[in-house]
Amino acid sequence: MTWGLEQVKVTYRSVRALDGVDIPVEAGRVTVLVGGDGAGKSTAAKTLVGLVEPVSGRVRRPEKRQVGYQSEHSGVWFDLTVWENLRFVAQAYGIPQPDSRIDHLIEVTGLGSARHRLAGRLSGGMRQKLGVAMALLPQPRLLVLDEPTTGLDPVSRTDLWMLVAGAAAEGTAVLLTTTYTDEAERGSVVVALDQGRVLAAGTVEDLVSRVPGRIVQTDRPDALAYRWRRGSRWRGWLPDGHPPPEASVVPPDLADVLIVAALLRRADASAA
Amino acid sequence: MWALVAKEFRQMRRDRRTLAMMILMPLVMLVVFGYAASFDVTTIRTGVFGPRAEQATALVDEPFVVDEVDPTVVEDDARLRLRDGRLDVALVTSDDGAKALVDGSRLFKAQAALRGFTAARAALPALEVEVLFNPDLDTSVVLVPGLAGLILIFVGTLLTSLGVVRERQAGTLEQLAVMPFRGRDVFFGKIAPYLLVATLDLAVVLAAGILLFDVPFNGSPATLALGAALFLFVTLGVGVLISSVSENQGQAIQLALMTVLPQVLLSGIIFPLDSMAPGVRWLGYLLPLTYFNQIAQGVMVRGAPLSTLLTPTSVLAAMGVAVFGLAVLRFARELAPARIEENTT
Amino acid sequence: MRPLLETRQVTKRFGDLVAVDSVTLRVHPGEIVGLIGANGAGKTTLIRLILGLLPPTAGRIDLFGAPPRPEARARVGYVPQTTGSYLDLTVAENLRFVAAAFGTTPPVLDPELRAVADRPLGELPLGIRRKVAFAAAVCHHPDLLILDEPTSGVGPLGRVELWGAIGEVAARGAGVLVTTHHMEEAEQCDRIVLLSAGRVVADGTPAEVTGHVTAVEVSAPQWEPVFRRLREAGFRPLLAGSRLRVAGVDADEITRLAGPGADVRPTSPTLEEAFVALVSR
């Protein structure tokens, strides 16, 4: 089963937030939506769960009861405890005998020691994990997580990805948004958004193999028209021609793919 | 240092709301409350009854204003007229003297009336004076019903608006919107607890008033309950409306206080409504507490029946329908998918 | 070369809580040092100690060769996590204010900032706000630049630009101390210091830090059953497209658990994987 957005356009206060995007979200897969602040990731997530109505296009999602959603602000009730938050969600979704599932989620999220702590007093990482646990509780067929790892440390992020992969392994269709390309590389499918449009979409292998021209690495950036820093060295993009003598050709990664795509779009925009 | 001062002024200029609060609000408040703040009694509605009513009317002088003259009315009927709030003072004449009945629930008028009687002692040596409902002219007896209303405003408006704003700020309102709830479930689920807490509060405040300050409870609890329920709907509705225009809790508190202050001063709890300048008095007529105060005082102190409190009750009901209806609409719109306008190319 | 900043065995206690536990680190001119750690690892406390906003419980801090003094702050550029700019002032007004505060001239704006110079910062995306905060922090040409999570919420291209700018500052001879918990950024540092529960757990170039940790990559026709088996055995498998990666483990055990049909091969861990493996040891 594939959920998702098809040719969706959304306008917010007369600004086009999404401009005809296709974002398929397949069952049993983690689809990662990557892009910067203002790229349209949150709007896409909200449109998919039905918080925003598109101007045109098609949104496919299961009925409300089978959608789990975590907003970018974690969406937990600060003045309820961890257990009370989960219990409330269970009641809202009418889950019969939810206690064992709540216990299981508390255990796999590592929140056992904080079971009766107020959500407002949790660390950012614990709060995000609680938010994901709440979204997972009704065993949704579609799980939408909006920037669940922003501000999280690597350990919490690893925990969170275990939860997400676990849900996908059970057959849930997952859409996760992030600003980080290394995180996006974990997705089964990556959709990169930029200014409300899809910049690139596909598996990481696909995207990497489709980069036009070559990516090079060098200590002498002056010879490169398109270049950016990577650590103490420089990387550059050669649309065509031979690499300068000191530069070595390297296999591109997702960050390179997205930078090249953004450079191409910028060039298009200034040409138009 | 100058850089700091310049920056602060620039920020002030940009924050229009605070600027308006700083400059305009004190001016408006001073003008409005200045015209409201008056204890002076200009008119005391007086009825003159009993066999020598016609002769006695001639003796009535400012600030007493004769509203009704009827030789056939007996003392018991005169008492009813005071209970129902139709008159402030009744002068019941008999062949060998006269008895003045004073409505003690209108503190300042009663005090002015008593001063008037003292002055008239020479002309009316046999005048017997009885203060009804509040014989000791106790301030707390008059204030407690209105204060109970103020406390309901606190719970109803401030706490409700904070509760909703907090939910929106934390992003959990959005969470509720994607859960399998209907819009009105969320609305009523959100405000029912506040309704309950406010009701309990009212009961506690009234009980404390009765026990600690000897406030009488002369009328029907059911009538008061009806008035209180209508009043609560209005205040909760105002709370939800405030929350829908506030971006954060600070703004909600500011706005809620702006609705509380005028109600303290203009609703007739402290300053009598008919002592106010006409423009300000009309502001008072727009405030829900004005009507709750009339109902609560009428029921508790004078024991007035519902039939004589139909005006304030129906005004509150109308306000309730309007404010609450608007609040439900705004809330439901917030929970529904954002409607998007198509006006770009 | 004398370090711009040196902390020796610095400890900070709040009651029973040891927020920073005998941390030793140095930042030399021209060097980008990454301070990497989980939330609550003590990064922000350490920065506050370095800036002289908090006194250490024990140990010694030398900022430009002396304990942190208010005057030293004129030589430091600092961007807090919250950017520290005024959202109700425009881009140009913010920069003018900071320049006036340091007694210098406002920086020349690049085309992107020039286009929005007269708009209040609150209306602009986080990426622009961070760029403005960075421009404000370097306008007085500080010798030491301290950045607390400078790129959180910034898109890929904006992040690359910001790191390009950080690199330029270092190339001009200033030292940079930057906190992040995004490892793809940590890899851009000359040296990294991994902090966990207030202690330094690893210190060195990114290659040195990852060199101590082993990792495997598992390819299988179906990743789901392998994922479940590894998770049940207590490992922390991470999804990578349609493959799984596990760090800090013994390849033979993973091979046994992954079962026939799965291809398990050693790989070099990412810095993030190395970090998680080092911290959970």
Side-chain angles (χ1 to χ4, degrees), chain C residues 45-155:
Chain C
T45 306
L46 188 58
I47 287 181
R48 292 173 61 81
L49 289 167
I50 290 166
L51 291 170
L53 300 172
L54 279 177
T57 313
R60 187 182 162 87
I61 299 170
D62 282 328
L63 185 58
F64 311 122
R69 270 189 296 251
E71 309 87 77
R73 269 183 239 156
R75 294 174 62 194
V76 176
Y78 170 51
V79 183
Q81 210 171 333
T82 48
T83 75
S85 309
Y86 297 99
L87 295 183
D88 46 1
L89 293 184
T90 66
V91 171
E93 285 167 349
N94 264 291
L95 292 172
R96 233 181 291 146
F97 169 64
V98 174
F102 280 102
T104 174
T105 47
V108 178
L109 300 181
D110 73 5
E112 194 187 4
L113 290 189
R114 204 153 50 227
V116 293
D118 295 322
R119 287 179 51 194
L121 223 47
E123 291 176 4
L124 299 169
L126 194 57
I128 302 274
R129 279 189 243 161
R130 294 215 178 273
K131 210 168 161 177
V132 171
F134 184 84
V138 299
C139 73
H140 62 295
H141 305 292
D143 296 318
L144 178 66
L145 186 59
I146 298 180
L147 307 167
D148 199 357
E149 301 282 342
T151 61
S152 91
V154 182

Side-chain angles (χ1 to χ4, degrees), chain B:
Chain B
M1 213 268 284
W2 280 115
L4 268 176
V5 173
K7 170 200 75 84
E8 203 60 41
F9 270 119
R10 244 180 234 128
Q11 287 180 297
M12 249 187 239
R13 201 185 57 204
R14 207 136 290 150
D15 187 0
R16 299 252 159 75
R17 201 190 280 252
T18 307
L19 202 66
M21 290 273 293
M22 274 161 50
I23 295 170
L24 227 60
M25 280 301 290
L27 200 67
V28 171
M29 282 187 187
L30 185 80
V31 171
V32 170
F33 300 149
Y35 281 111
S38 163
F39 296 114
D40 302 337
V41 174
T42 48
T43 55
I44 299 175
R45 293 170 300 159
T46 309
V48 190
F49 308 117
R52 290 162 59 193
E54 301 290 347
Q55 295 96 302
T57 307
L59 295 170
V60 174
D61 199 2
E62 296 246 290
F64 298 94
V65 173
V66 176
D67 249 27
E68 192 184 1
V69 180
D70 191 340
T72 63
V73 169
V74 296
E75 186 180 326
D76 283 349
D77 292 335
R79 283 176 186 272
L80 284 181
R81 281 172 167 71
L82 259 62
R83 182 198 74 181
D84 297 348
R86 282 156 55 191
L87 295 172
D88 303 319
V89 165
L91 200 59
V92 185
T93 59
S94 60
D95 292 330
D96 51 354
K99 185 172 187 182
L101 301 172
V102 179
D103 175 358
S105 73
R106 295 172 206 269
L107 203 57
F108 298 110
K109 288 196 175 182
Q111 283 165 346
L114 292 184
R115 280 195 299 274
F117 294 141
T118 317
R121 189 62 72 192
L124 286 164
L127 182 65
E128 184 193 340
V129 177
E130 183 185 348
V131 177
L132 302 183
F133 317 124
N134 182 15
D136 302 328
L137 289 184
D138 214 338
T139 315
S140 51
V141 168
V142 183
L143 274 182
V144 164
L147 285 180
L150 263 183
I151 289 162
L152 291 193
I153 292 183
F154 180 76
V155 176
T157 304
L158 190 60
L159 295 191
T160 309
S161 63
L162 282 183
V164 178
V165 170
R166 196 168 52 221
E167 190 113 36
R168 181 177 320 114
Q169 249 185 311
T172 44
L173 201 57
E174 204 172 54
Q175 205 71 43
L176 292 177
V178 296
M179 285 179 165
F181 290 118
R182 280 166 305 183
R184 67 187 139 130
D185 291 345
V186 178
F187 181 80
F188 287 104
K190 188 76 205 163
I191 68 158
Y194 294 101
L195 201 67
L196 201 71
V197 170
T199 309
L200 275 174
D201 262 6
L202 179 69
V204 170
V205 170
L206 291 184
I210 292 167
L211 290 174
L212 298 178
F213 301 107
D214 297 323
V215 178
F217 199 115
N218 293 326
S220 133
T223 307
L224 182 62
L226 175 67
L230 292 173
F231 179 64
L232 270 181
F233 272 101
V234 181
T235 56
L236 288 176
V238 171
V240 176
L241 285 181
I242 284 179
S243 74
S244 70
V245 296
S246 309
E247 282 162 25
N248 53 49
Q249 300 195 33
Q251 283 184 8
I253 292 174
Q254 268 184 11
L255 281 175
L257 286 183
M258 277 167 64
T259 69
V260 172
L261 200 56
Q263 308 221 53
V264 174
L265 294 172
L266 302 182
S267 64
I269 301 183
I270 298 175
F271 306 113
L273 267 176
D274 41 14
S275 303
M276 293 177 193
V280 178
R281 191 187 321 152
W282 277 102
L283 278 180
Y285 287 142
L286 293 175
L287 304 174
L289 186 58
T290 305
Y291 302 99
F292 177 72
N293 188 41
Q294 288 177 9
I295 296 172
Q297 242 187 39
V299 171
M300 292 178 66
V301 184
R302 299 198 307 273
L306 181 61
S307 58
T308 63
L309 296 170
L310 283 179
T311 312
T313 308
S314 39
V315 171
L316 273 188
M319 282 181 170
V321 169
V323 172
F324 212 67
L326 201 60
V328 174
L329 272 180
R330 287 208 63 138
F331 199 79
R333 192 174 314 154
E334 188 166 350
L335 286 177
R339 287 268 155 203
I340 312 294
E341 82 279 25
E342 172 64 316
N343 57 3
T344 45
T345 49

Side-chain angles (χ1 to χ4, degrees), chain A residues 28-30 34-37 124-125 149-155 157-159 161-162 165-166 168-170 179-183 185-188 205 228-232 255 258-259 262-263 266, chain C residues 37-39 125-127 151-157 159-161 163-164 167-168 171 181-185 187-190 223-224 227-228 231 235-241 243 272 275-276 279:
Chain A
R29 293 281 168 270
V30 182
V34 62
D37 196 33
T149 63
T150 292
L152 285 205
D153 61 66
V155 179
R157 193 154 52 222
T158 304
D159 287 345
W161 265 93
M162 298 251 301
E170 307 293 326
T179 55
Y180 288 92
T181 44
D182 58 344
E183 179 157 63
E185 282 183 349
R186 295 197 184 134
S188 327
E205 288 82 359
W228 56 94
R229 223 173 232 285
R230 173 76 68 91
S232 49
L258 299 183
I259 289 164
L263 286 171
R266 228 181 239 192
Chain C
N39 299 321
L126 194 57
T151 61
S152 91
V154 182
L157 195 55
R159 204 150 49 219
V160 164
E161 283 175 353
W163 273 94
E168 274 167 38
H181 40 225
H182 256 283
M183 297 297 160
E184 89 189 323
E185 295 188 0
E187 278 163 32
Q188 318 235 8
C189 299
D190 300 315
W223 62 268
E224 295 90 342
F227 175 85
R228 276 194 289 262
R231 192 178 57 178
F235 290 102
R236 298 156 72 84
L238 275 174
L239 195 57
R243 290 188 292 275
E272 172 155 315
F275 176 86
V276 174
V279 169

